[in-house]
Amino acid sequence: MELTIFILRLAIYILAFPIYLLNFLGLWSRICKKCFPYFLARFTVMYNEQMASKKRELFGNLQEFAGPSGKLSLLEVGCGTGANFRFYPPGCRVTCIDPNPNFEKFLIKSIAENRHLQFERFVIAAGENMHQVADGSVDVVVCTLVLCSVKNQEQILREVCRVLRPGGAFYFMEHVAAERSTWNSFWQQVLDPVWPLLFDGCSLTRESWKTLERAGFSKLKLQHIQAPLSWEIVRPHIYGYAVK
């Protein structure tokens, strides 16, 4: 099996050589940062259609974490195009963080389509360093399809815990590594070296549930599912929430 994976990876390296060359020259990242939001805008439409019931289930109890004022203060890390906005409760105060400034115009469109929310600001920053957000200042942090691509999962979860108020919650929905010795796992291992270049740092083989289990939350509700997605390679998912 390892030899087969090696041979297939070698073939992919050869086919993807132009991309690797552009990346070596420092050009690919700039191209990807500009083009990826357009891809994600299309992908999230499909993803939301196929995962709508799971998202409604996941976000169904968000309001329970609202502060004394009754208004929910929510920070979305890696907000992308704002695909989660329609699942948030009315009156929710939303702050968005993403390292890619090219998402801003897509966010503006999503904000206009979701007038039930109170949008506060868009911060251009990586989730590993959210110094613009004060300690203990938000009720809920949301992160969907983000832990697959961050550089340091442990650091982003430390930042999540920092900005959450005591008793606040971290909601997540992530594609993860498939069960080992399955065909899905086989193809994830074959494609993983080139996948981050094509999809803005995304990794197919992260066992993100292990990082969440080590993060020190007082409560962790986590489920493994096979998501009903067209792309079989990203069907293995985890979703749930953790309480600080």
Side-chain angles (χ1 to χ4, degrees), residues 184-239:
N184 211 345
S185 176
F186 171 82
W187 285 111
Q188 283 182 344
Q189 291 178 69
V190 168
L191 294 171
D192 196 53
V194 73
W195 198 265
L197 288 177
L198 298 175
F199 298 104
D200 200 21
C202 175
S203 172
L204 289 169
T205 56
R206 288 192 177 176
E207 298 175 328
S208 301
W209 65 90
K210 294 182 178 180
T211 311
L212 285 161
E213 289 167 352
R214 295 192 302 265
F217 290 103
S218 64
K219 176 184 176 182
L220 176 61
K221 184 178 180 181
L222 183 152
Q223 295 183 58
H224 288 259
I225 60 167
Q226 288 294 314
L229 297 173
S230 303
W231 291 18
E232 186 171 348
I233 201 163
V234 292
R235 284 181 185 172
H237 266 57
I238 57 170
Y239 74 115

Side-chain angles (χ1 to χ4, degrees), residues 81 85 104 106-117 119:
T81 61
F85 287 178
E104 187 167 13
F106 296 93
L107 273 179
I108 292 170
K109 181 174 182 292
S110 291
I111 292 162
E113 294 170 349
N114 292 276
R115 296 293 186 182
H116 66 290
L117 303 178
F119 183 76

